[in-house]
Amino acid sequence: QVQLRESGGGSVSTGESLTLSCKYVGDRFSHWCLGWFRQSPGKEREGLAQSTEDGGTSYGTSVKDRFTISRNSATRTLFLEMNNLEPGDTARYYCAAANSCASLERSPYWGQGTQVTVSS
């Protein structure tokens, strides 16, 4: 069983930075695919970044040059560093975990989300 809990959201102004955390409770942290998604009202869920099960990373086009995903195996925590935030980044941010990145979006393991609001 895996449990995920996000934290670190908040309200910031355009151009500022935030780092989100996702605490992972369960086994096999180092061997699972972990990812960040976001969703705002009226919009589809958007995949932002993945930390793959073989140690790589991948990013969605809209955040590729501004967001960085990382994980700390010692603390079993996934991070999303977000720089140069824009009002369009306003959304609820979620982390997810799965035994492979191919099944990440269908995974039953999701956190409850943390809200990020960016004002102009």
Side-chain angles (χ1 to χ4, degrees), residues 83-119:
N83 297 313
N84 195 22
L85 286 162
E86 306 163 350
D89 295 317
T90 295
R92 193 161 185 87
Y93 285 68
Y94 300 87
C95 61
N99 58 7
S100 76
C101 285
S103 59
L104 185 63
E105 293 207 36
R106 301 187 305 274
S107 172
Y109 303 120
W110 291 77
Q112 83 289 347
T114 186
Q115 179 67 33
V116 173
T117 303
V118 185
S119 59

Side-chain angles (χ1 to χ4, degrees), residues 31-107:
H31 303 287
W32 274 40
C33 177
L34 306 172
W36 287 98
F37 297 78
R38 68 185 179 190
Q39 189 167 23
S40 53
K43 293 188 177 180
E44 292 189 357
R45 187 174 64 197
E46 179 185 8
L48 303 175
Q50 294 180 348
S51 173
T52 67
E53 58 270 36
D54 59 0
T57 57
S58 65
Y59 295 92
T61 305
S62 66
V63 303
K64 191 169 111 175
D65 297 323
R66 299 185 296 123
F67 291 9
T68 302
I69 190 171
S70 62
R71 66 168 85 189
N72 183 317
S73 294
T75 62
R76 296 191 176 188
T77 306
L78 179 73
F79 300 99
L80 185 69
E81 179 184 347
M82 306 186 294
N83 297 313
N84 195 22
L85 286 162
E86 306 163 350
D89 295 317
T90 295
R92 193 161 185 87
Y93 285 68
Y94 300 87
C95 61
N99 58 7
S100 76
C101 285
S103 59
L104 185 63
E105 293 207 36
R106 301 187 305 274
S107 172

